[in-house]
Amino acid sequence: QYLSLSWNSLGGPVDRLLTRLNHLNYLDLSLNHFTGTIPGRLFTFPITTLQLQRNLFSGHVEPINHVSIATVDLSYNKLSGPVSPFLSTVQNLYLNNNGFSGRVPACFVQRLLSANIQILYLQHNYLTGIEINPTAEIPLSSSLCLQYNCMVPPVQTPCPLKAGRQKTRPPQQCNQLRG
């Protein structure tokens, strides 16, 4: 039910590893060298925690349906493309330090303001916007970090110290992405 393979030198795609792991409650593959895309079916596993941070995963993240996993950490990979609205049902979501681009879907804002999302870390990506009223009050039980993207964060929220001090990404980096 509990599998942690973190801090190893495991590599390659995770497809074969996942063929017999459908009875897990917790999966931690962080701090390895896994590559390729993250299989969409992985998000359908009946687990409470999915830790895939600090690998070499790339491509788009495309869950098959709304994700019912409470904590999903995909930070510090090479993931790209839009942020899937199917991830808005995650309570603690770490997408920081990747290459996500485009606008953050409105469903994230709705769930954040209703305190259904406790952690939403989107910093250090190439996101271009989020529809949130600058006067919106984010619940005290929730944490949102948007800094260092291709937008001026519409709300000032406390970010973790390791997120750095810069609020926005330099324009030339954002222009390179569009060009």
Side-chain angles (χ1 to χ4, degrees), residues 26-87:
Y26 179 95
L27 179 60
D28 184 352
L29 302 176
S30 63
L31 295 140
N32 279 292
H33 304 289
F34 288 112
T35 59
T37 59
I38 299 171
R41 66 185 177 89
L42 180 58
F43 297 103
T44 65
F45 281 25
I47 58 180
T48 59
T49 302
L50 176 62
Q51 306 257 344
L52 300 177
Q53 71 270 26
R54 296 187 186 270
N55 276 287
L56 301 170
F57 289 112
S58 60
H60 294 200
V61 176
E62 298 176 338
I64 299 168
N65 207 335
H66 287 283
V67 179
S68 61
I69 303 169
T71 299
V72 174
D73 192 340
L74 306 179
S75 62
Y76 294 94
N77 277 288
K78 297 178 178 188
L79 301 167
S80 60
V83 174
S84 172
F86 287 151
L87 292 170

